[in-house]
Amino acid sequence: MIQAIVYTSNTGSTERYAKLLGHETDLPAYSLEEAKKTLKCGTEIIYLGWIMAGGIQGYADAVRRFEIPMVCAVGMEPAGKQQREVREKNNIPAEVELFTLQGGYLPHKLRGVHKLMMLMITSTAGKALAEKIDRTPEEDDLLELMEHGGSRVSVENLSAPLAWCRQNLGGAEHE
């Protein structure tokens, strides 16, 4: 039975999603560092991590310690994008449910190499997106995020993971 939500966050978007999910499911939410001290190895958890270059930060460490039936990967792309790539890059087994969620871009919270990487990515990807003639509304939103920063974290974006939780969490406290 799933006992907790564990997350790794960089600028706070993933932490916000973890706490929202925890509130909606009555599960405690721990940072990965807290979980290592609090939860026993082998505990079943839901894992949330932020995406950097397709990698879910903290996932490799979490999967060595815990049983993980569901993963939420948080990035700049709209929810549901990049699932195949993220699953492959992180070696997430097919039986593990994977959701990708749009977090945000908060450049003022980035430091060091992460700040430099994101400046390069947003300038090149943002330029290509800005020059695209037939942008979709999702692409317009992504361009706005790249150019001005912001957060897209919301409980509405958790609808698919919450539906999975409602079907898979055992015990009366989760009904």
Side-chain angles (χ1 to χ4, degrees):
M1 186 169 77
I2 297 171
Q3 300 294 313
I5 296 164
V6 177
Y7 65 90
T8 300
S9 191
N10 186 35
T11 62
S13 295
T14 307
E15 179 180 12
R16 287 181 55 210
Y17 273 127
K19 289 182 177 179
L20 281 170
L21 190 59
H23 176 76
E24 294 293 321
T25 60
D26 292 326
L27 289 170
Y30 302 106
S31 71
L32 181 56
E33 293 309 311
E34 291 171 326
K36 288 179 188 177
K37 298 172 190 166
T38 307
L39 303 174
K40 294 179 183 175
C41 283
T43 299
E44 194 171 43
I45 64 158
I46 294 171
Y47 184 76
L48 285 76
W50 59 284
I51 300 171
M52 182 175 70
I56 303 171
Q57 302 306 293
Y59 175 73
D61 193 12
V63 81
R64 281 191 298 269
R65 294 176 178 274
F66 306 112
E67 293 297 319
I68 305 175
M70 183 181 99
V71 175
C72 292
V74 180
M76 286 179 55
E77 293 279 343
K81 301 285 183 176
Q82 302 177 296
Q83 283 184 309
R84 184 179 53 78
E85 298 89 348
V86 169
R87 184 177 294 281
E88 289 173 6
K89 173 106 183 200
N90 295 278
N91 299 311
I92 298 172
E95 65 272 9
V96 173
E97 195 65 43
L98 172 64
F99 298 97
T100 54
L101 303 172
Q102 187 174 34
Y105 176 51
L106 304 168
H108 64 281
K109 289 190 173 187
L110 293 173
R111 301 285 177 258
V113 69
H114 296 137
K115 186 172 193 125
L116 291 173
M117 285 176 57
M118 286 307 296
L119 284 173
M120 291 184 343
I121 290 168
T122 56
S123 66
T124 45
K127 183 179 180 195
L129 204 50
E131 292 172 354
K132 187 176 178 188
I133 295 168
D134 56 345
R135 286 190 308 266
T136 65
E138 283 181 344
E139 289 170 329
D140 284 337
D141 184 62
L142 183 58
L143 180 59
E144 167 76 16
L145 194 60
M146 287 181 183
E147 291 178 340
H148 304 288
S151 174
R152 302 299 185 263
V153 175
S154 70
V155 73
E156 293 80 22
N157 288 346
L158 282 173
S159 61
L162 279 170
W164 183 93
C165 287
R166 286 185 191 105
Q167 290 181 337
N168 293 278
L169 289 177
E173 71 275 13
H174 302 295
E175 295 180 346

